[in-house]
Amino acid sequence: MDTSSGVGVIDKAALILNALEAGPTSLAQLVSLTKISRPTVHRLAQALVHHRLVGKDIHGRFVLGGRLVELASAAGEDRLIAAAGPLLLQLRDSTGESTQVFRRQGDYRVCVASAERPVGLRDTIPVGTQLSMKAGSAAQVLLAWEDHERLLDGLQGARFTPTILAGVRRRGWAQSLGEREPGVASVSAPVRGPSGRVIAAVSMSGPIERLSRQPGRAHQEVVVQTANALSEALRKTGD
């Protein structure tokens, strides 16, 4: 698909914003991801910072800016959250467990949508909850497709290993047993934005005694189907 509009500076700015979709990005990473020369990337990124379309984190890495949040709010409700609601309810009803969608925000993953199991023992994660990027199947999914530098950084102090993340990339889903919280199991799969990058994770979670020590064996198919359906919904609304 031809992504060129014919207006070079706009196309380059769009490439930079798309590259920042997955999280904090260094200047060197921007050059690698966009294939734009370093001086040009730096000049355009600084101009985007000036207009608050891009910001910087405490480590000096580039991130999507606050102005984008304001513009998204003005345009209407978040497409990911709007599309996730009914799909999470379907996933909850088919598995009998609590379901969530997580986005990465810097060093954390944030629950942006959820559907809780209505009765009995359950894993309750309210919308807005910040959780570590160092543990849990959703964290594995949000990290597994990152570039090499981000991958190494994310693995420092993590409860999972490079081998586990390689398995996540190969299978297309992740599972965890007591990584985030003792006694809790989960299964997660990646949600991809219109550009094809992983922008969120769909998860289902509950007690190990109910999900077993191989939760992916029973639930990976429906979790992956839900994540794919959400990705497709975002692609259609982005057309």
Side-chain angles (χ1 to χ4, degrees):
M1 182 177 65
D2 184 10
T3 58
S4 173
S5 70
V7 183
V9 67
I10 298 297
D11 291 340
K12 290 182 174 68
L15 286 173
I16 291 171
L17 293 173
N18 287 338
L20 298 179
E21 188 176 20
T25 307
S26 68
L27 180 60
Q29 288 172 321
L30 276 181
V31 172
S32 175
L33 291 167
T34 63
K35 311 303 181 187
I36 303 171
S37 70
R38 187 182 183 95
T40 300
V41 165
H42 184 262
R43 176 171 55 84
L44 290 176
Q46 290 300 129
L48 291 168
V49 168
H50 176 77
H51 290 287
R52 297 178 54 238
L53 295 169
V54 168
K56 288 188 176 183
D57 67 8
I58 59 174
H59 302 294
R61 297 173 298 186
F62 293 102
V63 296
L64 292 175
R67 181 60 182 148
L68 293 175
V69 176
E70 297 166 0
L71 292 171
S73 177
E77 63 181 326
D78 186 293
R79 290 186 294 116
L80 173 66
I81 296 171
L87 291 171
L88 288 184
L89 288 173
Q90 291 174 18
L91 180 60
R92 180 199 66 185
D93 293 344
S94 65
T95 62
E97 302 296 343
S98 298
T99 59
Q100 310 88 28
V101 170
F102 291 95
R103 271 177 171 157
R104 182 172 185 176
Q105 290 186 5
D107 295 329
Y108 296 93
R109 54 185 170 101
V110 178
C111 178
V112 298
S114 69
E116 289 188 8
R117 174 186 169 95
V119 295
L121 186 62
R122 58 190 181 270
D123 183 34
T124 300
I125 304 176
V127 171
T129 300
Q130 285 189 334
L131 298 176
S132 171
M133 277 293 295
K134 302 297 184 180
S137 63
Q140 294 175 28
V141 164
L142 292 171
L143 186 61
W145 282 271
E146 293 280 24
D147 62 39
H148 184 66
E149 185 177 336
R150 283 182 182 150
L151 202 61
L152 292 179
D153 183 59
L155 282 167
Q156 293 182 19
R159 298 285 302 276
F160 41 79
T161 65
T163 301
I164 288 175
L165 294 189
V168 172
R169 290 191 297 274
R170 183 179 67 255
R171 296 189 308 264
W173 56 271
Q175 66 178 5
S176 67
L177 297 169
E179 276 187 12
R180 172 177 59 82
E181 185 176 337
V184 173
S186 66
V187 181
S188 298
V191 177
R192 297 181 182 274
S195 68
R197 301 196 69 185
V198 174
I199 61 168
V202 166
S203 296
M204 58 147 291
S205 58
I208 292 176
E209 62 188 48
R210 220 167 37 228
L211 269 67
S212 83
R213 301 196 68 81
Q214 290 291 332
R217 183 175 298 170
H219 300 294
Q220 56 90 7
E221 184 174 357
V222 67
V223 173
V224 170
Q225 287 174 350
T226 302
N228 289 345
L230 185 49
S231 298
E232 179 64 13
L234 295 177
R235 187 192 67 77
K236 287 181 177 178
T237 56
D239 285 346

